[in-house]
Structures are given as C-alpha cells and as structure tokens.
Amino acid sequence: MRLPSVDILADSLKNPRVAFTVATGTTYFFFSILSRRRSSSKALQKNEEGEEGEEGEEMGGGETTTLAALSSLLPSKTHRGLAIAARLFMVWPIKAILPLSAARFILAHSFFPQMRTPMPRIADTAFFLEAAFYVHYKIKKHYLINNPPSSKTYVYPEIDKQPAGSPQECLAKHLAQFSDALPECGEAELIGLKQKELEGWFTWGHGSKRRVARFSEIHREHVSRWMAFLFWDTELLNNPSLQQTLQPLIDPLVDQLEAWVGVEFDSGPEPADVKPIILNLDPLRAQHHPILHYVVTHLAAYTVGWAIFRLRGFERKTLNGQEYFHRKCRETDRSKCQKPLVFISGIGIGLVSYEKFISQLSADNRDILLFDLPEISLRWTPKLQHETHSPLETAQTVGEIVRGCVKGEKGAHAVAHSFGCVVIQWLLRLNTAPTPIASSVTMVDPVCFLLISPSVAQHFCYRQPKNFLDELVDYFVAREIGVNNALHRHFQWKINALDPNMLPEESAVILSELDSYVPSLHVERMLRKERPDVKVKVLKRMFHSEFQIKGEGFQTATTMSKLVDITKKSFVNLKELTTFNV
C-alpha cells in the first residue's frame, strides 16, 4: 500500500517549476557535501585546482572597527563563543537564503498551499533569481579556476624594477630591511625570531589539522618552491622541466636565506604534509554570496557613494575601464591651483566608507581624483573573467589621469589606505622625471612594506577566524569571489613589495599599533632605520582601519597627510609641528 504523501510527491514533481527547484536544491546540497569530503582527502589536496576552501584553511583579512578593540578585552572562550554566534546568527542565515527559498517553494507548491505568501509571485521570482545567480556563480568560479592568468601577464618590464637588480640583490635588500625591523636582542634569540618568522610561510597538514609548520619540518625543497613563487610566480612541484631551468637560479637564493637564518635546511626527502604558501597558485577559497549581499555592497554602497560625491561637485569618469571621480580646481586662474590630490581606497565597499576622511583633505584650489578598484570593492560583474586590471594597466591608466591634471614638475599628493598603498607603489615605479606622478605620499595601514614577513599573507589570506569580527570579515569580505580572485590569482610579490627607498622625500606613514595584518611595530623600526626622513606615526591601541571611526586616529591621519602635502619650504613654518609629534 502506497502512502498518500508518495502520490502527492510524484504528482508535484510533474510540475516543471517544482522539478527544477528540487534539482537545483539537490545540486546545491550535493556540491556542499562533496566539497567538504574532497577537502579531507590528501590525494585531492595535492591537486588543489578546483577545490572549495577547507574549514581549517579559513581566511582572515578585511577591515576592522571598534568592535575589535572591545573584543580584545574578552577572554579566549568568550572570543570563540562570539565567533560561533556570528556564524550562527549572521553568516549561516545569509548562506541559507537559497536552500530555504527552495524549501519554501517546494512546500508551498507541493504539500502545504497554506504556506503561500500574500505575494507568491514575488517570492517565487526571488527564488528563481537566487537559483540562477548561484548557477552563474558556480560557472564563474569554475572558469576562474580553470583559466588562471598566464605567466606572461606577470612580466611588466616598465614597473618590474627590482630594488637592487638581480634576485639575489633583491632578496639581500629585503632580508636586510627585515633585520632592521627585528628588536635588538642576543644572537641566539635573534636566530629564533628569524626562524619563527620563516615558519609562517609554510603549513603542515590538511583540513582541520592544518597548522603552521615547525622549522625542523621545513626542507630545502620547500624553500626552493617558495623562492620560485616570490621571484618567478610559479610552482616547481610536478614540473621537472621548469625546475631544471630555475634550480640553478634558486639554489643561491636558498643558500643566502640559510646564511641569514643561521641554520642549514634539511636536504633530505621532502615531507608531503608540508607545503609553502604560494598565494597565486593556491586554490580559490571563494564562497557563494546571495544577491542580497551584492544589493548592499554593490548597488546600495555604490549608488550612495556616487550620490554623495556628485553632490560635492565630483564627476564620474572612465578611462581604459578604470572608473574614478574627478573634481576640478575651482580657481579661475589655473596657475594658482595646488598640486592634485589622489586618493586610493582599500578592500571594502569602496570610496563611500572614506567620505569623511576625503572631505577633510579636499580643497577648492586643487584637482581631486578618487580611485577604487572594482575587484576589491565587493562588486559583481556578469563577465566570467572577473575584472582585474594588471599592475601595469592600473599604473599606466592612473598615471595618465594624474599627469593630465599635473602642471609643471610638482606632481600630485597621493593618499591611500591598506591595499590602496600597493597601487601607490606601482605608481612610484613609474615615477620618473620630468613630470612625476606622485611628489608626496601618505600611506595609512600600508600592506606593501615587509612583505618578506608572512604576516600579511598568513593573517589576511589563511588565518582561521578566532573572534566575532574575524568571522564576519572571513565570509562577507575575504571569501567574496572578486576579492579572493584578486588576492589568489593577481597578487605578485615582487611587484607589490615596496622598497622604502622608493618613497618621495615628503612622505608620511600612519600605522595602527594593534593591526592584525600589518606588522606595524616591525615596519616602524625598519622605516626609522632605512628612511629617517619619512614621518612615521603609530596610532596607539588602534586596529586596522580604526582611524576612520576613532576621533584621535582620524585627526592624526588627516594632520599628517596635510603636513606632507605642502612644499618643503613651508613645511618648517607650520605651527602644527610644535605640538604634533611625528
């Protein structure tokens, strides 16, 4: 005897809409379970192209606020409890929008007609949009995984200027700068600090058992693979022809690193459980975000930002695919205009979050140019190939725009935050006479210093969330497909690592003492030794990006930017210098 419910289910599946819904929901569930099982397999772990991110390889990164300062005062158990609460009540409900919509549709149209809402067509339309959006996301991610950037795109002769020439000279320069960043201590303790830092570039294990490798577990072959990533953006594993070509170039670099660390690496067989962090070749860790996420981050934030800057006299323009806001100098006599102000935002929802900071730096007697990168601004594009401009394309386009506003030889004053500082250092590589792009620079929470340290790569891209804010940033920012693609497919170490000697004479660097991603105290020590003329200020008891919402930090960043945004002659006459300690 068949149960009535079986007949009802069979009749319901004859409806094309119900059948499509069941198929979509089953596919979603199947892929979710499959990705978790695949992440626990060691065999597939070695062939990581196409996998979902593992639970044990959670990403950190993004922007922090005062919540981080408050959470730092709580016990570790409370931290974990808040992280679980964030996952249960904020992250998972957003992730559940699609499966819950599918469940509502099936139940309302098959078993419980009373569940139909007063506006069933709107609810059904929302579900079909979410389902179609999910399918498009899966196609896009599959495309990005199977169509990585060509290695040829990593070669930019115009801006690929190593700080000291050859890879050996470049590595020596970065290691010397990192040595300057370490605190003064005994030789044995110094060697321990160097080994501890190097450990951060290597991981042991897979899945939930993944951890930072111990120095004794790191072999010479692991270091060779890491060097291949740093200087050639490639992977030696399972590529014998490439390894045969590059190994003679890599061996001197490994010897150089051994001399710096003070210990020789084990040259025995390479342990399979240890692997280096290879940012551009590690698997994408993007996760699906519903349409609601992009309604807020793309449509709402982008539209509100456009309206705010439009009311302030800015005009939105586009050159070579790069959007920017431009407000012209309002002086009738252009010769009286000061040098232009260029602002570049970091990872987040774009320029709208910096509106208050920008307004403090703006003036009527200058051109103002505002840039953000769409690939790190939580925006969605229907194109399969996500919009990610190369460093050369971005630098040339921004440089062309800035030089169109610069008069004479004064250049522009460039201000940037977080990842935006990487774009500034691209510009500095093209900062040639007779018309420099940037004659003065202000960097806030810069991620481009001391990239030889694993701090930025480890904490920003691989860290497991440990508190409430990390949990939110991990899903809503770090695992967004545009941000993930930009960091895991288009982040070239040798292009993004900034040599402090490239900074203009009038430069300021603002750091946050409790920054989770930038090794602020290390950067401060290094800059004071390498570039004592650069003005450095550490914001006490502040986290990454907290200067935007905390009065003291906001005022400090604004004041320091204004201090370097003038000629050297007038700088020494400012009364602010007598009360402002840099």
Side-chain angles (χ1 to χ4, degrees):
M1 179 178 179
R2 298 182 62 184
L3 297 175
S5 58
V6 176
D7 295 329
I8 295 175
L9 179 60
D11 293 338
S12 300
L13 291 176
K14 294 179 182 179
N15 188 322
R17 292 195 301 175
V18 176
F20 173 77
T21 302
V22 173
T24 304
T26 304
T27 302
Y28 178 85
F29 179 77
F30 173 76
F31 274 113
S32 299
I33 298 300
L34 181 62
S35 65
R36 283 168 172 75
R37 291 194 174 187
R38 293 177 71 182
S39 67
S40 63
S41 172
K42 287 187 178 181
L44 291 178
Q45 185 73 22
K46 296 179 182 179
N47 185 17
E48 290 174 322
E49 294 294 333
E51 292 185 18
E52 292 282 350
E54 296 89 354
E55 284 295 322
E57 295 182 336
E58 302 286 345
M59 286 177 61
E63 313 299 327
T64 56
T65 62
T66 305
L67 290 175
L70 294 176
S71 66
S72 66
L73 303 176
L74 299 174
S76 58
K77 290 185 178 180
T78 307
H79 274 308
R80 195 59 195 157
L82 290 174
I84 294 174
R87 188 177 300 177
L88 287 175
F89 299 109
M90 302 188 73
V91 175
W92 285 357
I94 296 295
K95 289 183 176 182
I97 287 179
L98 177 60
L100 289 179
S101 299
R104 188 214 69 84
F105 184 86
I106 294 173
L107 293 175
H109 290 269
S110 304
F111 306 111
F112 305 104
Q114 62 271 25
M115 289 182 61
R116 297 183 183 182
T117 63
M119 297 181 291
R121 290 186 178 180
I122 296 178
D124 293 346
T125 301
F127 161 67
F128 281 114
L129 286 175
E130 284 290 355
F133 190 73
Y134 175 76
V135 172
H136 184 256
Y137 159 79
K138 297 298 291 186
I139 295 174
K140 176 193 276 286
K141 184 175 180 181
H142 183 268
Y143 177 87
L144 292 175
I145 289 174
N146 291 280
N147 294 272
S150 169
S151 59
K152 295 181 180 179
T153 63
Y154 294 149
V155 182
Y156 313 115
E158 295 87 345
I159 65 173
D160 187 12
K161 300 173 183 176
Q162 298 292 354
S166 69
Q168 282 182 270
E169 294 171 328
C170 176
L171 179 61
K173 184 69 174 178
H174 284 292
L175 292 178
Q177 291 171 1
F178 192 69
S179 296
D180 289 338
L182 295 174
E184 296 182 2
C185 56
E187 183 177 355
E189 187 177 355
L190 186 62
I191 291 176
L193 289 175
K194 292 178 179 180
Q195 293 179 1
K196 196 70 176 176
E197 289 289 340
L198 188 62
E199 288 174 355
W201 280 106
F202 301 87
T203 61
W204 180 93
H206 310 291
S208 60
K209 296 182 179 180
R210 190 181 181 99
R211 60 167 172 80
V212 175
R214 300 184 182 93
F215 188 81
S216 59
E217 298 168 339
I218 302 173
H219 285 221
R220 189 178 179 88
E221 289 301 317
H222 300 134
V223 181
S224 295
R225 292 172 59 194
W226 178 50
M227 288 296 171
F229 155 66
L230 293 186
F231 292 99
W232 290 277
D233 293 294
T234 190
E235 168 66 288
L236 299 180
L237 190 65
N238 300 325
N239 198 337
S241 60
L242 182 63
Q243 184 171 4
Q244 185 177 5
T245 303
L246 291 181
Q247 199 64 50
L249 302 174
I250 292 176
D251 285 339
L253 298 176
V254 180
D255 295 338
Q256 190 175 350
L257 187 63
E258 286 179 336
W260 181 76
V261 176
V263 179
E264 291 187 2
F265 298 107
D266 191 338
S267 57
E270 177 184 357
D273 287 335
V274 178
K275 66 182 296 287
I277 289 177
I278 304 179
L279 201 58
N280 286 344
L281 302 175
D282 283 344
L284 289 179
R285 292 172 172 80
Q287 290 186 356
H288 168 252
H289 291 68
I291 293 179
L292 179 63
H293 178 269
Y294 292 101
V295 168
V296 175
T297 63
H298 191 155
L299 295 180
Y302 187 67
T303 304
V304 170
W306 174 85
I308 290 175
F309 292 116
R310 183 73 177 175
L311 291 174
R312 299 197 171 211
F314 287 88
E315 182 180 358
R316 186 172 62 185
K317 300 180 180 180
T318 303
L319 179 65
N320 300 332
Q322 175 65 57
E323 288 190 355
Y324 65 100
F325 286 93
H326 180 205
R327 193 177 77 184
K328 294 183 178 180
C329 174
R330 296 176 180 177
E331 292 281 355
T332 54
D333 184 359
R334 293 285 297 179
S335 62
K336 296 182 180 180
C337 293
Q338 294 183 4
K339 58 185 179 182
L341 171 71
V342 178
F343 180 81
I344 305 173
S345 66
I347 294 177
I349 59 175
L351 292 166
V352 66
S353 60
Y354 300 94
E355 184 273 332
K356 182 181 177 182
F357 183 56
I358 294 171
S359 66
Q360 291 294 315
L361 301 179
S362 302
D364 291 338
N365 60 344
R366 73 191 319 170
D367 284 84
I368 303 173
L369 299 164
L370 310 177
F371 295 90
D372 64 357
L373 305 182
E375 58 266 28
I376 60 170
S377 298
L378 307 181
R379 299 177 192 166
W380 183 263
T381 173
K383 299 178 182 178
L384 293 181
Q385 179 58 54
H386 211 283
E387 297 177 5
T388 304
H389 302 288
S390 71
L392 178 59
E393 292 172 338
T394 303
Q396 288 181 334
T397 300
V398 175
E400 182 179 348
I401 295 170
V402 174
R403 283 191 168 122
C405 300
V406 172
K407 304 300 178 182
E409 302 178 2
K410 55 188 176 182
H413 176 54
V415 183
H417 172 247
S418 192
F419 193 86
C421 299
V422 173
V423 181
I424 283 189
Q425 77 100 8
W426 296 343
L427 297 177
L428 293 178
R429 292 175 182 267
L430 298 178
N431 211 19
T432 56
T435 306
I437 300 175
S439 59
S440 58
V441 166
T442 300
M443 293 183 170
V444 187
D445 295 333
V447 298
C448 51
F449 290 113
L450 293 181
L451 284 182
I452 193 69
S453 166
S455 179
V456 174
Q458 181 70 251
H459 295 170
F460 198 85
C461 300
Y462 294 87
R463 183 179 60 178
Q464 183 178 357
K466 296 181 180 179
N467 57 46
F468 177 83
L469 192 64
D470 282 352
E471 197 71 52
L472 298 183
V473 170
D474 175 69
Y475 174 70
F476 290 105
V477 179
R479 289 185 182 262
E480 196 273 329
I481 191 168
V483 174
N484 213 255
N485 180 59
L487 296 179
H488 281 276
R489 291 296 177 268
H490 299 272
F491 191 92
Q492 292 93 58
W493 182 89
K494 64 180 180 180
I495 297 293
N496 296 338
L498 175 60
D499 180 1
N501 294 310
M502 295 174 61
L503 291 174
E505 188 176 353
E506 284 80 35
S507 297
V509 176
I510 297 101
L511 304 163
S512 300
E513 183 184 28
L514 305 180
D515 199 314
S516 301
Y517 318 116
V518 179
S520 300
L521 299 182
H522 285 26
V523 173
E524 180 194 17
R525 291 192 200 100
M526 183 271 295
L527 288 175
R528 296 201 185 279
K529 292 181 180 179
E530 294 279 332
R531 287 296 302 271
D533 58 320
V534 171
K535 298 149 194 67
V536 182
K537 181 68 176 180
V538 178
L539 304 178
K540 300 297 182 182
R541 297 189 59 79
M542 289 197 192
F543 289 78
H544 194 85
S545 301
E546 198 175 358
F547 81 99
Q548 298 182 70
I549 57 173
K550 201 164 184 178
E552 180 185 352
F554 179 83
Q555 185 61 36
T556 300
T558 303
T559 303
M560 286 197 70
S561 182
K562 290 180 179 179
L563 287 178
V564 297
D565 182 21
I566 48 182
T567 62
K568 188 175 181 180
K569 180 178 179 181
S570 59
F571 176 81
V572 296
N573 295 325
L574 280 181
K575 294 181 179 179
E576 291 175 282
L577 270 182
T578 60
T579 58
F580 190 79
N581 179 24
V582 296

Coordinates of all heavy atoms in Angstrom, one line a residue, residues 26 71 82 174-175 216 219 251-252 379 401 438 452 469 509 522 571 579:
T26 N 18.9 20.0 -4.8 CA 19.7 18.7 -4.6 C 21.2 19.0 -5.1 O 22.1 18.5 -4.4 CB 19.1 17.6 -5.5 OG1 17.7 17.4 -5.0 CG2 19.9 16.3 -5.3
S71 N 36.5 43.5 21.6 CA 36.6 42.1 21.8 C 38.0 41.7 22.3 O 38.2 40.6 22.8 CB 36.4 41.4 20.4 OG 37.4 41.8 19.5
L82 N 31.6 34.2 20.8 CA 31.1 35.3 19.9 C 31.3 34.9 18.4 O 30.5 35.2 17.5 CB 31.9 36.6 20.2 CG 31.5 37.3 21.5 CD1 32.4 38.5 21.7 CD2 30.0 37.7 21.5
H174 N 65.7 42.9 0.9 CA 64.5 42.6 1.7 C 64.9 42.0 3.1 O 64.3 42.3 4.1 CB 63.6 41.7 1.0 CG 62.8 42.4 -0.1 ND1 61.8 43.4 0.2 CD2 62.8 42.3 -1.4 CE1 61.3 43.8 -0.9 NE2 61.9 43.2 -1.9
L175 N 65.9 41.1 3.1 CA 66.3 40.5 4.3 C 67.0 41.5 5.2 O 66.8 41.5 6.5 CB 67.3 39.3 4.0 CG 66.7 38.1 3.4 CD1 67.7 37.0 3.1 CD2 65.5 37.5 4.2
S216 N 61.9 22.7 11.9 CA 62.6 21.4 11.7 C 61.9 20.6 10.6 O 62.5 19.7 10.0 CB 62.6 20.6 13.0 OG 61.3 20.4 13.4
H219 N 62.1 21.7 4.7 CA 63.3 21.2 4.0 C 63.7 22.2 2.8 O 62.9 23.1 2.5 CB 63.0 19.8 3.4 CG 62.9 18.7 4.4 ND1 63.5 17.5 4.2 CD2 62.5 18.7 5.7 CE1 63.3 16.8 5.3 NE2 62.7 17.5 6.2
D251 N 69.0 28.0 -6.2 CA 70.0 27.5 -5.2 C 70.8 28.6 -4.5 O 70.9 28.6 -3.3 CB 70.9 26.5 -5.9 CG 70.3 25.1 -6.1 OD1 69.2 24.9 -5.4 OD2 70.7 24.4 -7.0
P252 N 71.3 29.6 -5.2 CA 72.0 30.7 -4.5 C 71.1 31.5 -3.6 O 71.5 31.9 -2.5 CB 72.5 31.6 -5.6 CG 72.6 30.7 -6.8 CD 71.4 29.7 -6.7
R379 N 32.0 44.0 -5.6 CA 31.1 44.3 -6.7 C 31.0 43.0 -7.5 O 31.9 42.3 -7.6 CB 31.5 45.5 -7.5 CG 31.5 46.8 -6.8 CD 32.0 47.9 -7.7 NE 32.3 49.1 -6.9 CZ 33.0 50.1 -7.3 NH1 33.5 50.1 -8.6 NH2 33.3 51.1 -6.5
I401 N 45.9 59.7 -16.0 CA 44.9 60.6 -15.5 C 45.5 61.7 -14.6 O 45.2 62.9 -14.7 CB 43.8 59.8 -14.6 CG1 43.1 58.8 -15.6 CG2 42.9 60.7 -13.9 CD1 42.2 57.8 -14.8
A438 N 53.6 61.2 -8.4 CA 53.4 61.5 -7.0 C 54.7 62.1 -6.4 O 55.8 61.5 -6.4 CB 53.1 60.3 -6.2
I452 N 58.3 40.4 2.9 CA 59.1 39.2 3.2 C 58.6 38.5 4.4 O 58.8 37.3 4.7 CB 60.6 39.6 3.2 CG1 61.5 38.3 3.2 CG2 60.9 40.4 4.5 CD1 61.5 37.6 1.9
L469 N 34.5 39.5 14.9 CA 34.7 40.3 13.7 C 35.4 39.5 12.6 O 35.1 39.6 11.4 CB 35.6 41.5 14.1 CG 35.7 42.6 13.0 CD1 34.3 43.2 12.7 CD2 36.6 43.6 13.4
V509 N 53.8 57.9 6.9 CA 53.3 56.5 7.0 C 52.6 56.5 8.4 O 53.2 56.7 9.4 CB 54.4 55.4 7.0 CG1 53.8 54.1 7.2 CG2 55.1 55.5 5.6
H522 N 57.2 46.3 13.5 CA 58.3 46.0 12.7 C 58.5 47.0 11.6 O 59.7 47.4 11.3 CB 58.1 44.6 12.0 CG 58.3 43.5 12.9 ND1 58.1 43.6 14.3 CD2 58.6 42.2 12.7 CE1 58.4 42.4 14.9 NE2 58.7 41.5 13.9
F571 N 56.8 73.7 5.0 CA 56.6 72.7 6.0 C 57.2 73.1 7.3 O 56.6 72.9 8.4 CB 57.3 71.4 5.5 CG 57.2 70.3 6.5 CD1 56.1 69.5 6.6 CD2 58.3 70.0 7.3 CE1 56.0 68.5 7.5 CE2 58.2 69.0 8.2 CZ 57.0 68.2 8.3
T579 N 53.4 71.1 18.2 CA 52.5 70.3 19.1 C 52.3 68.9 18.6 O 51.7 68.1 19.3 CB 51.2 71.0 19.2 OG1 50.6 71.2 17.9 CG2 51.4 72.4 19.8

